[in-house]
Structures are given as structure tokens and as C-alpha cells.
């Protein structure tokens, strides 16, 4: 029987329904309860984030970040063009002008050496995206932020359990370095809750206000801790917090984080080793992991020599029921933003738009499945 290999399949650890049942039948359904605190404390302790607030998505966490920074009309925000729309939308919603940076030649992440030339009087923030969970060179980015008085919001949607080691030799979790950082637990990520996300707040100046924006602009969280005797409307805000049902699901995933990561990294290494020689013969490239970065095996991608070669491979795999996919289309060329961006070229971003292909990578794959994918991939 021919096997069918999807691009992604959400992995359940087995405890999700149990914790969801517990959340439902203890009668605490709305947010900021037991499971929310378990998850937030876990992240804070394991990765050294300043303060953690679960959100209903990474998109929401990015929107919270833009609100916290008081981004307003006329402000400029520097971000890669090769990213998901949410990185951009969060700031456009506040009226910011997006200033796109090209990708690196050796990696789809933003080229840290091309940021400084884009900084103006109006620049407020830099938003590095840790593509495939591989760190941007955060020393360079934080140094620019310091020099020009800018904020750094890490889009760490794909970067759970990944690290950066800078010049000081200290290994720091991605999401713990910028002033703020956003994570995703969408079902396509390593750790999932269907939809879900988190804002990590590392700059103490933002901690109190983050909690208020999170709770519809009220000081309700402080009220529940007994810090104030009544709660009211004190700022702008929205409903960014997820229900306990989502947090309960996420908790089951977090209890198995090490096992999930170990398995994904095994799969990733099997792809990498299995493709090394063949890729070179084909003129393609494998993922590059700089020495300062770790690999959290969020994604396995290859960079083809041409768009035609990529389309050929996607078709070849599809014929054998293996589902592979391309990724972002440069935002500076999107129908929505090309008129505002103008004609400044971002050639590496366009190359990744046209040449990059992602292979199936999820927990339940077997060694045998990956052998099979490699065989089909290398077939004529
Ligand atoms: C997945 C992703 C997002 C959005 O995450 P949601 O939780 O679906 O809102 C944002 N940025 C990047 C880089 C992503 O990969």
C-alpha cells in the first residue's frame, strides 16, 4: 500500500484531553487560572524570560508588543521581508511604516549588516524573526538598538527551545534577549495548543502595563492578587488571554517538551545526513546553522537552484503522496505593500520566496518514512 505523508500532523502527547477535562470540570474556564500559571511559570523558569503572558496567538502577542511600544502613525519599524504577515500587520495596525530588510545570503533570516543603513529619526523598533528557530545575530541587533535608542521585538514564533550564544559566551534562550518576544503554539509549530501564543516581557518597564493591556485595559490581574481593592478601566487593551482550556492543552505538551524536541532533532539530522552529498551534486543548499545558534528542528528546508527545480521537486514528491511546501512570498512585493515599499530590491528575500522548499517534519514520522522521502526525492 502506498503511504501518504502529509507536510504536518499535530502530535498529541496523550494527556491533553485529561487536562482539558480537568479544566472543564473544575469549572474554571476563562483565562489566567491554574493551567495558565503552570505554563507561564514553566517558560519563565526554563528559559529565563522576564514575565510571560499566554495569548490566543503569536499574532496577538505581536499586536500587544506594538501597543506596549506605543507605535503610532509615522513611526518606522524594521523587519525582514521574508516573514509571515503577522510580523508586519501588528505594526501596520498602529499606523507604522514598514521598512523591510533583505535576508542573508546564507540564511533566510534578516541580514544584520543591512539594518543600520535603514535606521532614520523615525525608527522605533527592530523586529528580528528567528527563521526556522535559528537565531539572528542578536549581539549585532541589540548593539544597534542601544546605539539608536530602539526597541527589539523578537518574533520567536518558531523559536521555542532554541538558543543564541553571543560574544559573552552565555547561552541565552531565544525570546529572552529582546525587550519583548512573541511565541506561537499554532498546530504547525513544535509545541502546540491549536491556536495559541505567548508574549515574553524582558524589559521591566513594560511588565505592569502588559498585564493591563492583556486584561482589556483593566487592572483586574492586580485585583485578583489582592494588590488593589477594586479594579477598573485604566488603559487601552483588548482580550488577549486564552481560556484555561487552551492552557490545559498546552500544559500537556510542555510536560513532554524534551521528548518532542529530541525526536524532531533526530528527524532533522536524518534528513541532513541523508541529503548532504546529493544536495551538492544538484547545486542546492541545505540549512545553514551559524556557530552562535542552536537548531530546534522546527523546520527542514532545502534551497533549490531555481524556481523550476523547486516546482519539479514538489511535483515529484506529490506524485508519491509526499506533501512538501514552499514558504513566504516577500512582503515588500505583496499586493498590499508593494506600492508603499517602492522599488528598493531585496534579492535574497526573493530568492527564498522562489527557491525554498520545506519537507515533512513532525513527531510521528518514522526513520523508515524519512528513508522513503529521501529515496523519492533523489529519484530521477
Ligand atoms: C506562525 C508564525 C506567526 C503567527 O503565529 P500565530 O500563532 O499563528 O498567530 C508569526 N510569525 C512567524 C514567523 C510565524 O512562523
Amino acid at each position: 500500500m502506498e503511504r501518504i505523508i502529509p507536510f504536518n500532523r499535530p502530535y498529541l502527547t496523550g494527556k491533553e484531553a485529561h487536562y482539558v477535562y480537568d479544566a472543564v470540570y473544575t469549572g474554571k474556564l476563562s483565562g489566567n487560572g491554574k493551567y495558565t500559571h503552570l505554563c507561564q511559570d514553566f517558560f519563565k523558569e526554563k528559559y529565563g524570560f522576564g514575565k510571560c503572558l499566554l495569548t490566543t496567538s503569536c499574532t496577538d502577542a505581536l499586536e500587544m508588543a506594538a501597543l506596549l511600544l506605543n507605535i503610532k502613525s509615522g513611526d518606522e519599524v524594521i523587519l525582514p521581508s521574508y516573514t509571515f504577515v503577522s510580523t508586519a500587520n501588528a505594526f501596520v495596525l498602529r499606523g507604522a511604516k514598514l521598512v523591510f530588510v533583505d535576508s542573508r545570503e546564507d540564511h533566510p533570516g534578516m541580514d544584520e549588516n543591512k539594518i543600520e543603513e535603514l535606521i532614520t529619526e523615525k525608527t522605533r523598533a527592530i523586529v528580528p524573526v528567528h527563521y526556522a528557530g535559528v537565531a539572528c545575530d542578536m549581539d549585532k541587533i541589540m548593539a544597534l538598538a542601544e546605539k539608536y535608542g530602539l526597541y527589539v521585538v523578537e518574533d520567536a514564533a518558531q523559536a521555542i527551545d532554541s538558543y543564541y550564544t553571543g560574544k559573552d559566551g552565555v547561552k541565552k534562550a531565544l525570546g529572552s534577549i529582546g525587550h519583548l518576544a512573541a511565541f506561537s503554539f499554532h498546530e504547525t509549530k513544535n509545541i502546540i495548543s491549536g491556536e495559541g501564543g505567548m508574549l515574553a516581557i524582558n524589559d521591566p518597564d513594560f511588565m505592569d502595563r502588559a498585564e493591563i493591556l492583556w486584561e482589556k485595559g483593566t487592572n483586574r490581574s492586580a485585583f485578583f492578587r489582592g494588590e488593589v481593592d477594586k479594579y477598573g478601566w485604566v488603559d487601552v487593551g483588548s482580550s488577549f488571554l486564552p481560556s484555561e482550556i487552551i492552557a490545559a492543552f498546552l500544559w500537556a505538551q510542555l510536560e513532554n517538551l524534551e521528548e518532542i524536541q529530541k525526536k524532531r532533532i533526530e528527524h532533522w539530522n536524518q534528513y541532513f545526513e541523508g541529503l548532504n552529498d546529493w544536495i551538492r551534486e544538484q547545486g542546492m543548499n541545505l540549512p545553514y546553522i551559524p556557530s552562535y545558534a542552536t537548531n530546534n528542528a522546527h523546520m527542514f528546508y532545502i534551497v533549490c537552484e531555481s524556481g523550476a527545480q523547486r516546482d519539479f521537486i514538489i511535483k515529484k514528491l506529490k506524485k508519491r503522496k509526499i506533501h512538501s511546501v514552499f514558504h513566504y512570498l516577500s512582503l515588500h512585493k505583496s499586493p498590499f505593500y508593494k506600492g508603499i515599499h517602492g522599488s528598493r530590491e531585496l534579492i535574497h528575500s526573493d530568492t527564498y520566496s522562489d527557491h525554498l522548499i520545506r519537507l515533512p517534519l513532525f513527531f510521528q514520522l518514522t526513520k523508515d518514512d524519512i528513508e522513503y522521502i529521501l529515496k523519492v526525492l533523489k529519484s530521477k
Side-chain angles (χ1 to χ4, degrees):
M1 205 188 77
E2 200 177 33
R3 56 184 125 186
I4 298 171
I5 302 182
F7 172 67
N8 181 53
R9 187 174 282 153
Y11 172 63
L12 300 178
T13 69
K15 282 287 206 70
E16 285 83 357
H18 174 76
Y19 291 139
V20 167
Y21 185 95
D22 181 53
V24 170
Y25 286 95
T26 43
K28 169 66 182 159
L29 294 179
S30 60
N32 204 6
K34 174 176 98 178
Y35 286 105
T36 299
H37 294 148
L38 279 171
C39 294
Q40 289 176 173
D41 292 348
F42 173 94
F43 286 117
K44 207 168 120 91
E45 274 158 40
K46 185 166 173 73
Y47 299 118
F49 304 143
K51 180 187 180 86
C52 295
L53 295 173
L54 293 190
T55 57
T56 48
S57 64
C58 179
T59 302
D60 260 0
L62 289 162
E63 285 178 27
M64 266 184 85
L67 273 171
L68 272 171
L69 299 184
N70 276 325
I71 297 290
K72 55 184 182 340
S73 180
D75 290 347
E76 294 180 3
V77 173
I78 297 179
L79 74 167
S81 177
Y82 194 72
T83 185
F84 191 56
V85 286
S86 293
T87 325
N89 265 326
F91 299 95
V92 169
L93 276 168
R94 309 250 65 77
K97 175 168 188 256
L98 304 178
V99 179
F100 291 114
V101 197
D102 205 358
S103 296
R104 288 164 58 130
E105 186 170 6
D106 61 5
H107 189 269
M110 75 203 293
D111 189 336
E112 301 86 353
N113 296 324
K114 290 186 182 149
I115 297 171
E116 190 163 16
E117 64 202 57
L118 300 171
I119 295 174
T120 72
E121 292 279 284
K122 292 181 177 160
T123 309
R124 294 285 317 284
I126 305 173
V127 188
V129 178
H130 303 300
Y131 187 81
V134 174
C136 295
D137 192 343
M138 292 305 289
D139 276 353
K140 284 189 186 163
I141 293 169
M142 296 311 289
L144 285 174
E146 183 134 344
K147 183 170 166 190
Y148 294 97
L150 310 175
Y151 287 112
V152 174
V153 180
E154 295 175 69
D155 183 338
Q158 306 172 8
I160 194 72
D161 205 47
S162 203
Y163 294 83
Y164 171 78
T165 307
K167 285 192 236 44
D168 62 6
V170 182
K171 191 170 163 185
K172 302 183 193 86
L174 298 187
S176 72
I177 305 166
H179 303 85
L180 301 165
F183 287 90
S184 175
F185 309 119
H186 184 265
E187 74 168 38
T188 51
K189 306 300 202 268
N190 292 25
I191 299 293
I192 63 173
S193 59
E195 302 280 352
M198 180 175 72
L199 183 70
I201 302 116
N202 300 314
D203 182 337
D205 287 352
F206 293 124
M207 288 181 185
D208 290 345
R209 186 160 184 247
E211 207 172 62
I212 289 166
L213 300 188
W214 189 60
E215 273 280 22
K216 300 112 187 150
T218 72
N219 53 353
R220 181 177 157 136
S221 302
F223 173 74
F224 280 133
R225 283 194 301 269
E227 292 165 17
V228 290
D229 58 8
K230 56 181 184 305
Y231 82 86
W233 188 20
V234 295
D235 202 334
V236 295
S238 190
S239 186
F240 290 114
L241 69 172
S243 83
E244 276 288 286
I245 301 171
I246 301 268
F249 189 111
L250 183 62
W251 180 241
Q253 294 267 312
L254 292 180
E255 281 189 334
N256 290 274
L257 184 137
E258 313 234 318
E259 188 199 347
I260 291 170
Q261 287 301 96
K262 185 164 166 278
K263 180 69 86 184
R264 292 186 74 102
I265 289 167
E266 272 172 30
H267 292 339
W268 197 98
N269 289 336
Q270 193 186 344
Y271 271 129
F272 194 85
E273 282 149 26
L275 285 173
N276 220 340
D277 295 336
W278 181 77
I279 283 279
R280 265 173 247 250
E281 290 161 23
Q282 303 296 313
M284 303 184 215
N285 281 308
L286 286 175
Y288 165 68
I289 318 264
S291 58
Y292 52 72
T294 60
N295 173 26
N296 72 346
H298 170 61
M299 185 195 299
F300 193 90
Y301 66 85
I302 54 186
V303 184
C304 297
E305 209 177 19
S306 67
Q309 187 187 42
R310 176 182 70 179
D311 296 346
F312 174 76
I313 288 176
I314 292 178
K315 274 206 204 103
K316 179 163 74 174
L317 292 171
K318 195 170 166 211
K319 247 189 250 158
R320 305 293 291 274
K321 303 216 165 42
I322 300 165
H323 192 61
S324 65
V325 289
F326 55 88
H327 210 186
Y328 304 129
L329 301 174
S330 291
L331 294 181
H332 73 284
K333 287 198 168 162
S334 61
F336 182 62
Y337 220 78
K338 65 176 182 232
I340 305 170
H341 173 78
S343 59
R344 188 166 52 85
E345 292 205 62
L346 304 173
I347 55 169
H348 299 306
S349 176
D350 290 343
T351 300
Y352 291 111
S353 298
D354 294 342
H355 297 186
L356 186 143
I357 160 174
R358 295 178 289 159
L359 300 178
L361 180 60
F362 51 90
F363 187 97
Q364 304 92 316
L365 282 172
T366 63
K367 282 213 166 343
D368 195 48
D369 288 331
I370 297 178
E371 272 311 311
Y372 174 70
I373 297 167
L374 291 171
K375 206 176 91 199
V376 174
L377 190 60
K378 295 178 192 177
S379 66
K380 287 273 182 333

